[in-house]
Amino acid sequence: MDKIRDLFRESFDLDSASAVDDLAYRGIPAWDSVGHMRLVAALETTFDIMLDTDDVLDLGSFAKAVTILRKYGVEVS
């Protein structure tokens, strides 16, 4: 779970103390369409997966990201 939090922080240029568990699309200025694709690329690269289009579109929050990653077999604890 910490790895996912770190990816969110890196993708949206947040400091290491920023809480991300409640983040949602457009909930912060950095999570715009460009930030969204940066996050998608980071998730795909880090976990060696390829998200399908529906999952990219559904990835609207930190919680949803965790759910989607589980779907791809990523161990989330």
Side-chain angles (χ1 to χ4, degrees):
M1 194 73 90
D2 286 337
K3 186 182 273 189
I4 300 167
R5 287 183 184 102
D6 288 342
L7 289 174
F8 268 73
R9 289 182 188 110
E10 291 170 19
S11 296
F12 302 129
D13 198 27
L14 302 171
D15 64 54
S16 62
S18 295
V20 296
D21 290 18
D22 293 326
L23 279 183
Y25 182 64
R26 297 202 179 207
I28 57 172
W31 198 343
D32 56 9
S33 58
V34 174
H36 187 78
M37 294 313 297
R38 192 174 322 129
L39 175 63
V40 168
L43 293 169
E44 290 181 332
T45 300
T46 300
F47 297 110
D48 195 28
I49 58 173
M50 181 64 88
L51 300 177
D52 66 34
T53 303
D54 289 338
D55 290 328
V56 171
L57 295 174
D58 286 344
L59 201 161
S61 68
F62 178 85
K64 187 64 178 183
V66 170
T67 300
I68 290 169
L69 290 172
R70 283 186 177 131
K71 172 183 165 184
Y72 287 86
V74 174
E75 293 264 341
V76 179
S77 54

XYZ file of all heavy atoms in Angstrom:
601
model
N 0.828 -1.188 0.000
C 0.000 0.000 0.000
C 0.876 1.257 0.000
O 0.536 2.231 -0.653
C -0.922 -0.031 1.218
C -2.033 0.964 1.157
S -3.332 0.571 0.001
C -4.423 -0.366 1.017
N 1.992 1.202 0.717
C 2.888 2.360 0.754
C 3.447 2.678 -0.628
O 3.626 3.841 -0.977
C 4.028 2.136 1.747
C 3.565 2.248 3.192
O 2.520 2.897 3.440
O 4.236 1.688 4.076
N 3.709 1.650 -1.421
C 4.230 1.863 -2.773
C 3.202 2.618 -3.619
O 3.554 3.528 -4.378
C 4.573 0.529 -3.429
C 5.245 0.672 -4.776
C 5.523 -0.671 -5.397
C 6.857 -1.166 -4.910
N 7.296 -2.372 -5.634
N 1.930 2.264 -3.457
C 0.876 2.940 -4.203
C 0.766 4.396 -3.740
O 0.655 5.309 -4.560
C -0.473 2.214 -4.037
C -0.358 0.775 -4.545
C -1.585 2.951 -4.779
C -1.510 -0.124 -4.148
N 0.829 4.605 -2.441
C 0.792 5.980 -1.911
C 1.953 6.799 -2.483
O 1.769 7.954 -2.878
C 0.851 5.965 -0.394
C -0.418 5.508 0.264
C -0.316 5.596 1.796
N -1.505 5.055 2.402
C -1.593 3.843 2.951
N -0.534 3.060 3.008
N -2.731 3.438 3.472
N 3.129 6.198 -2.516
C 4.293 6.904 -3.050
C 4.112 7.256 -4.524
O 4.502 8.339 -4.968
C 5.559 6.070 -2.866
C 6.014 5.993 -1.415
O 5.575 6.847 -0.603
O 6.799 5.084 -1.095
N 3.511 6.356 -5.289
C 3.265 6.637 -6.706
C 2.301 7.801 -6.872
O 2.474 8.642 -7.760
C 2.731 5.402 -7.418
C 3.725 4.271 -7.630
C 3.031 3.051 -8.206
C 4.866 4.723 -8.521
N 1.286 7.856 -6.032
C 0.360 8.988 -6.074
C 1.099 10.283 -5.748
O 0.925 11.289 -6.444
C -0.805 8.774 -5.097
C -1.999 8.106 -5.706
C -1.981 6.753 -6.010
C -3.155 8.817 -5.962
C -3.084 6.130 -6.574
C -4.270 8.207 -6.523
C -4.237 6.860 -6.827
N 1.910 10.254 -4.715
C 2.661 11.463 -4.324
C 3.604 11.906 -5.449
O 3.686 13.092 -5.763
C 3.436 11.203 -3.038
C 2.549 11.102 -1.826
C 3.357 10.889 -0.538
N 2.477 10.619 0.574
C 2.371 9.435 1.183
N 3.135 8.416 0.809
N 1.525 9.269 2.168
N 4.313 10.955 -6.032
C 5.239 11.281 -7.112
C 4.503 11.797 -8.348
O 4.921 12.779 -8.962
C 6.074 10.061 -7.479
C 7.068 9.645 -6.422
C 7.706 8.295 -6.707
O 7.666 7.836 -7.873
O 8.239 7.694 -5.764
N 3.422 11.140 -8.706
C 2.672 11.514 -9.908
C 2.075 12.907 -9.804
O 1.966 13.618 -10.801
C 1.555 10.500 -10.176
O 2.096 9.234 -10.449
N 1.697 13.289 -8.595
C 1.056 14.590 -8.404
C 1.964 15.594 -7.706
O 1.513 16.645 -7.265
C -0.250 14.415 -7.634
C -1.211 13.487 -8.334
C -1.787 12.430 -7.656
C -1.525 13.656 -9.670
C -2.671 11.568 -8.290
C -2.399 12.800 -10.320
C -2.974 11.751 -9.633
N 3.252 15.253 -7.607
C 4.253 16.142 -7.030
C 3.851 16.634 -5.632
O 3.892 17.827 -5.336
C 4.519 17.330 -7.958
C 5.824 18.023 -7.645
O 6.752 17.361 -7.120
O 5.922 19.233 -7.897
N 3.465 15.681 -4.791
C 3.090 15.981 -3.412
C 4.255 15.645 -2.491
O 5.058 14.765 -2.794
C 1.868 15.161 -3.004
C 0.610 15.349 -3.859
C -0.443 14.319 -3.480
C 0.075 16.761 -3.710
N 4.332 16.317 -1.356
C 5.416 16.007 -0.420
C 5.147 14.667 0.258
O 4.039 14.151 0.244
C 5.641 17.129 0.597
C 4.471 17.348 1.517
O 4.023 16.377 2.164
O 3.996 18.491 1.602
N 6.177 14.115 0.854
C 6.108 12.770 1.417
C 5.149 12.649 2.599
O 4.766 11.543 2.965
C 7.492 12.294 1.829
O 8.015 13.141 2.827
N 4.741 13.763 3.175
C 3.819 13.721 4.309
C 2.355 13.859 3.882
O 1.455 13.727 4.704
C 4.160 14.832 5.301
N 2.124 14.096 2.610
C 0.751 14.301 2.128
C -0.069 13.022 2.219
O 0.368 11.954 1.800
C 0.764 14.767 0.671
O 1.363 16.022 0.551
N -1.269 13.165 2.752
C -2.210 12.045 2.800
C -2.833 11.886 1.419
O -3.235 12.865 0.791
C -3.282 12.306 3.842
N -2.896 10.657 0.943
C -3.449 10.421 -0.390
C -4.633 9.459 -0.387
O -5.303 9.317 -1.410
C -2.356 9.906 -1.361
C -1.277 10.945 -1.573
C -1.767 8.601 -0.896
N -4.906 8.829 0.727
C -5.950 7.800 0.762
C -7.333 8.320 0.382
O -8.179 7.545 -0.070
C -6.016 7.145 2.144
C -4.802 6.265 2.426
O -3.775 6.415 1.742
O -4.887 5.433 3.329
N -7.578 9.612 0.538
C -8.886 10.185 0.209
C -8.874 10.981 -1.093
O -9.863 11.641 -1.416
C -9.365 11.085 1.349
C -9.664 10.296 2.617
O -10.122 9.138 2.500
O -9.432 10.828 3.715
N -7.776 10.909 -1.834
C -7.693 11.671 -3.078
C -8.678 11.147 -4.112
O -8.920 9.943 -4.209
C -6.293 11.593 -3.676
C -5.236 12.515 -3.097
C -3.919 12.346 -3.859
C -5.669 13.960 -3.147
N -9.205 12.086 -4.891
C -10.107 11.743 -5.984
C -9.763 12.616 -7.185
O -9.182 13.696 -7.034
C -11.551 11.954 -5.576
N -10.115 12.134 -8.358
C -9.850 12.859 -9.596
C -10.370 14.283 -9.492
O -11.503 14.509 -9.077
C -10.507 12.131 -10.775
C -10.248 12.765 -12.109
C -8.964 12.837 -12.620
C -11.291 13.275 -12.859
C -8.715 13.413 -13.861
C -11.060 13.854 -14.099
C -9.770 13.924 -14.593
O -9.537 14.495 -15.812
N -9.520 15.223 -9.833
C -9.780 16.657 -9.775
C -9.971 17.175 -8.350
O -10.404 18.288 -8.141
C -10.943 17.045 -10.653
C -10.648 16.744 -12.121
C -11.475 17.535 -13.040
N -11.084 17.187 -14.399
C -11.208 17.996 -15.409
N -11.704 19.174 -15.238
N -10.837 17.617 -16.595
N -9.640 16.343 -7.376
C -9.706 16.756 -5.980
C -8.563 17.678 -5.604
O -8.634 18.400 -4.610
N -7.500 17.628 -6.398
C -6.367 18.540 -6.255
C -6.030 19.042 -7.657
O -6.302 18.347 -8.642
C -5.140 17.853 -5.604
C -4.704 16.628 -6.411
C -5.419 17.489 -4.147
C -3.398 16.005 -5.950
N -5.458 20.234 -7.762
C -5.157 20.766 -9.100
C -4.262 19.860 -9.946
O -4.432 19.796 -11.165
C -4.453 22.097 -8.801
C -4.965 22.501 -7.456
C -5.180 21.211 -6.700
N -3.349 19.149 -9.321
C -2.414 18.304 -10.075
C -3.087 17.080 -10.694
O -2.547 16.483 -11.629
C -1.271 17.861 -9.176
N -4.259 16.701 -10.168
C -4.932 15.530 -10.748
C -5.890 15.987 -11.838
O -7.094 15.935 -11.727
C -5.654 14.708 -9.684
C -5.982 13.306 -10.157
C -6.007 12.840 -11.431
C -6.355 12.197 -9.341
N -6.354 11.516 -11.476
C -6.573 11.089 -10.190
C -6.516 12.029 -7.982
C -6.952 9.850 -9.721
C -6.898 10.783 -7.522
C -7.111 9.709 -8.374
N -5.292 16.433 -12.907
C -6.034 16.772 -14.106
C -5.798 15.648 -15.115
O -5.297 14.579 -14.734
C -5.596 18.137 -14.641
C -4.091 18.211 -14.919
O -3.398 17.171 -14.869
O -3.613 19.325 -15.193
N -6.126 15.855 -16.372
C -5.985 14.767 -17.348
C -4.518 14.367 -17.539
O -4.219 13.179 -17.691
C -6.608 15.164 -18.682
O -6.003 16.337 -19.193
N -3.613 15.323 -17.510
C -2.190 15.009 -17.663
C -1.678 14.255 -16.430
O -0.978 13.245 -16.547
C -1.363 16.289 -17.915
C 0.129 15.984 -17.921
C -1.788 16.944 -19.223
N -2.035 14.728 -15.256
C -1.645 14.048 -14.024
C -2.210 12.639 -13.968
O -1.556 11.710 -13.496
N -3.422 12.489 -14.467
C -4.070 11.181 -14.485
C -3.252 10.199 -15.325
O -2.991 9.074 -14.895
C -5.491 11.317 -15.035
C -6.294 10.069 -14.947
N -6.871 9.639 -13.782
C -6.621 9.139 -15.890
C -7.527 8.498 -14.002
N -7.382 8.173 -15.266
N -2.835 10.635 -16.502
C -2.067 9.750 -17.370
C -0.674 9.490 -16.799
O -0.135 8.401 -16.969
C -1.989 10.327 -18.787
C -3.347 10.367 -19.490
S -4.319 8.826 -19.353
C -3.283 7.669 -20.209
N -0.115 10.456 -16.096
C 1.170 10.244 -15.420
C 1.017 9.153 -14.363
O 1.873 8.271 -14.229
C 1.641 11.555 -14.786
C 3.057 11.541 -14.324
C 3.537 12.899 -13.830
N 3.002 13.983 -14.640
C 2.378 15.064 -14.142
N 2.242 15.236 -12.860
N 1.917 15.988 -14.942
N -0.081 9.191 -13.613
C -0.356 8.169 -12.605
C -0.537 6.805 -13.257
O 0.020 5.809 -12.792
C -1.596 8.545 -11.792
C -2.067 7.503 -10.783
C -1.021 7.259 -9.702
C -3.392 7.942 -10.159
N -1.318 6.747 -14.312
C -1.537 5.482 -15.018
C -0.205 4.893 -15.480
O 0.070 3.706 -15.272
C -2.499 5.675 -16.212
C -2.514 4.455 -17.123
C -3.905 5.990 -15.718
N 0.636 5.717 -16.077
C 1.941 5.238 -16.554
C 2.793 4.739 -15.393
O 3.451 3.694 -15.509
C 2.664 6.354 -17.302
N 2.764 5.438 -14.280
C 3.555 5.023 -13.114
C 3.067 3.689 -12.568
O 3.868 2.812 -12.224
C 3.498 6.096 -12.031
N 1.753 3.521 -12.487
C 1.188 2.260 -11.998
C 1.556 1.107 -12.933
O 1.960 0.029 -12.483
C -0.328 2.367 -11.846
C -0.840 3.317 -10.771
C -2.347 3.520 -10.904
C -0.492 2.802 -9.381
N 1.402 1.339 -14.237
C 1.704 0.283 -15.205
C 3.177 -0.106 -15.171
O 3.506 -1.295 -15.190
C 1.302 0.737 -16.610
C -0.191 0.818 -16.808
C -0.581 1.254 -18.205
O 0.202 1.980 -18.874
O -1.686 0.871 -18.644
N 4.049 0.871 -15.102
C 5.490 0.596 -15.085
C 5.909 -0.107 -13.800
O 6.626 -1.110 -13.828
C 6.278 1.913 -15.250
O 5.914 2.510 -16.500
C 7.772 1.664 -15.199
N 5.458 0.414 -12.685
C 5.868 -0.129 -11.392
C 5.395 -1.557 -11.185
O 6.130 -2.396 -10.684
C 5.343 0.764 -10.250
O 5.896 2.070 -10.420
C 5.730 0.215 -8.886
N 4.159 -1.827 -11.581
C 3.575 -3.150 -11.325
C 3.577 -4.055 -12.552
O 3.026 -5.147 -12.515
C 2.163 -2.996 -10.759
C 2.150 -2.293 -9.434
C 1.640 -1.010 -9.305
C 2.683 -2.902 -8.304
C 1.642 -0.352 -8.079
C 2.690 -2.261 -7.074
C 2.172 -0.983 -6.969
N 4.206 -3.605 -13.647
C 4.337 -4.386 -14.869
C 2.985 -4.921 -15.340
O 2.810 -6.136 -15.547
C 5.344 -5.527 -14.676
C 5.779 -6.130 -16.001
O 5.760 -5.405 -17.010
O 6.139 -7.329 -16.009
N 2.042 -3.991 -15.471
C 0.702 -4.330 -15.944
C 0.327 -3.372 -17.064
O 0.996 -2.366 -17.281
C -0.357 -4.238 -14.812
C -0.373 -2.833 -14.195
C -0.113 -5.304 -13.749
C -1.482 -2.598 -13.188
N -0.750 -3.688 -17.776
C -1.293 -2.793 -18.788
C -2.783 -2.642 -18.497
O -3.550 -3.600 -18.644
C -1.079 -3.367 -20.189
C -1.609 -2.468 -21.281
S -0.776 -0.887 -21.379
C 0.552 -1.277 -22.459
N -3.167 -1.475 -18.014
C -4.567 -1.229 -17.682
C -5.387 -1.113 -18.957
O -4.961 -0.466 -19.920
C -4.700 0.064 -16.876
C -3.964 0.129 -15.543
C -4.141 1.503 -14.909
C -4.439 -0.949 -14.600
N -6.566 -1.721 -18.959
C -7.417 -1.551 -20.126
C -8.120 -0.193 -20.034
O -8.112 0.469 -18.996
C -8.394 -2.713 -20.305
C -9.439 -2.845 -19.213
O -9.889 -1.826 -18.671
O -9.821 -3.982 -18.907
N -8.680 0.228 -21.131
C -9.266 1.562 -21.226
C -10.321 1.816 -20.159
O -10.363 2.894 -19.555
C -9.864 1.783 -22.625
O -8.837 1.574 -23.604
C -10.431 3.178 -22.772
N -11.179 0.843 -19.898
C -12.219 1.017 -18.887
C -11.615 1.274 -17.515
O -12.120 2.107 -16.748
C -13.146 -0.200 -18.825
C -14.055 -0.301 -20.040
O -14.285 0.729 -20.710
O -14.526 -1.413 -20.327
N -10.529 0.586 -17.196
C -9.885 0.785 -15.895
C -9.212 2.148 -15.811
O -9.237 2.790 -14.766
C -8.888 -0.334 -15.602
C -9.583 -1.659 -15.344
O -10.704 -1.639 -14.805
O -9.005 -2.702 -15.679
N -8.625 2.604 -16.901
C -8.027 3.941 -16.921
C -9.105 4.995 -16.653
O -8.905 5.917 -15.865
C -7.317 4.222 -18.267
C -6.896 5.685 -18.377
C -6.120 3.303 -18.441
N -10.250 4.817 -17.273
C -11.347 5.772 -17.086
C -11.959 5.671 -15.696
O -12.396 6.681 -15.133
C -12.427 5.543 -18.149
C -11.997 5.816 -19.589
C -13.101 5.413 -20.559
C -11.595 7.264 -19.789
N -12.005 4.481 -15.130
C -12.595 4.270 -13.807
C -11.671 4.675 -12.661
O -12.125 4.835 -11.535
C -12.988 2.803 -13.614
C -14.234 2.426 -14.388
O -14.968 3.333 -14.818
O -14.460 1.214 -14.567
N -10.393 4.850 -12.941
C -9.431 5.162 -11.902
C -9.654 6.607 -11.431
O -8.992 7.530 -11.862
C -8.011 4.989 -12.448
C -6.893 4.788 -11.440
C -5.697 4.173 -12.127
C -6.510 6.032 -10.717
N -10.629 6.773 -10.557
C -11.027 8.112 -10.146
C -10.713 8.451 -8.703
O -11.076 9.524 -8.237
N -10.052 7.535 -8.007
C -9.705 7.797 -6.606
C -8.597 6.838 -6.186
O -8.325 5.849 -6.876
C -10.919 7.601 -5.699
O -11.291 6.230 -5.649
N -8.004 7.121 -5.057
C -6.986 6.230 -4.512
C -7.607 4.857 -4.240
O -7.037 3.832 -4.612
C -6.395 6.814 -3.225
C -5.373 5.915 -2.587
C -4.057 5.957 -3.001
C -5.729 5.036 -1.588
C -3.098 5.117 -2.423
C -4.788 4.193 -0.992
C -3.475 4.235 -1.421
N -8.788 4.854 -3.613
C -9.452 3.587 -3.284
C -9.748 2.776 -4.546
O -9.572 1.554 -4.568
C -10.733 3.854 -2.500
N -10.179 3.443 -5.597
C -10.478 2.737 -6.843
C -9.190 2.187 -7.468
O -9.188 1.099 -8.041
C -11.195 3.671 -7.818
C -11.689 2.983 -9.056
C -12.737 1.940 -8.746
C -13.250 1.307 -10.019
N -14.308 0.341 -9.769
N -8.094 2.914 -7.326
C -6.808 2.430 -7.835
C -6.424 1.124 -7.157
O -5.970 0.186 -7.810
C -5.719 3.482 -7.625
N -6.629 1.056 -5.851
C -6.318 -0.158 -5.104
C -7.171 -1.318 -5.628
O -6.669 -2.416 -5.876
C -6.524 0.056 -3.588
C -6.436 -1.254 -2.830
C -5.508 1.067 -3.053
N -8.451 -1.072 -5.840
C -9.356 -2.104 -6.358
C -8.917 -2.574 -7.739
O -8.878 -3.779 -8.016
C -10.800 -1.560 -6.419
O -11.209 -1.186 -5.103
C -11.763 -2.586 -6.987
N -8.575 -1.636 -8.589
C -8.145 -1.979 -9.948
C -6.837 -2.773 -9.917
O -6.689 -3.768 -10.635
C -8.012 -0.708 -10.807
C -9.410 -0.134 -11.098
C -7.259 -0.989 -12.103
C -9.398 1.252 -11.712
N -5.897 -2.365 -9.097
C -4.636 -3.089 -9.013
C -4.847 -4.523 -8.537
O -4.196 -5.450 -9.036
C -3.655 -2.351 -8.104
C -3.116 -1.039 -8.675
C -2.316 -0.285 -7.630
C -2.288 -1.286 -9.927
N -5.743 -4.717 -7.602
C -6.055 -6.087 -7.143
C -6.582 -6.935 -8.302
O -6.269 -8.115 -8.409
C -7.074 -6.043 -6.008
C -6.476 -5.634 -4.698
C -7.482 -5.742 -3.564
N -6.846 -5.415 -2.304
C -7.344 -4.573 -1.414
N -8.506 -3.979 -1.615
N -6.686 -4.329 -0.300
N -7.391 -6.328 -9.148
C -7.935 -7.024 -10.320
C -6.818 -7.576 -11.209
O -6.964 -8.634 -11.821
C -8.819 -6.056 -11.098
C -9.307 -6.540 -12.431
C -10.109 -5.473 -13.133
C -10.297 -5.789 -14.586
N -10.984 -4.722 -15.299
N -5.690 -6.864 -11.248
C -4.545 -7.273 -12.057
C -3.560 -8.142 -11.302
O -2.450 -8.395 -11.762
C -3.850 -6.043 -12.638
C -4.654 -5.399 -13.747
C -5.638 -4.467 -13.435
C -4.472 -5.737 -15.068
C -6.408 -3.878 -14.423
C -5.223 -5.160 -16.079
C -6.195 -4.233 -15.742
O -6.957 -3.668 -16.734
N -3.944 -8.582 -10.103
C -3.114 -9.494 -9.340
C -2.034 -8.839 -8.514
O -1.132 -9.527 -8.018
N -2.108 -7.522 -8.349
C -1.119 -6.816 -7.542
C -1.438 -7.047 -6.082
O -2.579 -6.863 -5.648
C -1.119 -5.301 -7.867
C -0.187 -4.548 -6.920
C -0.733 -5.068 -9.316
N -0.442 -7.475 -5.323
C -0.610 -7.706 -3.875
C -0.715 -6.355 -3.190
O 0.222 -5.550 -3.245
C 0.580 -8.469 -3.320
C 0.686 -9.879 -3.831
C 0.073 -10.882 -2.885
O -0.110 -10.552 -1.703
O -0.205 -11.995 -3.340
N -1.842 -6.104 -2.559
C -2.061 -4.847 -1.852
C -2.330 -5.188 -0.389
O -3.263 -5.902 -0.075
C -3.256 -4.080 -2.441
C -3.486 -2.784 -1.677
C -3.034 -3.799 -3.925
N -1.465 -4.665 0.477
C -1.690 -4.939 1.898
C -1.475 -3.695 2.721
O -0.953 -2.721 2.289
C -0.762 -6.029 2.388
O 0.581 -5.719 2.105
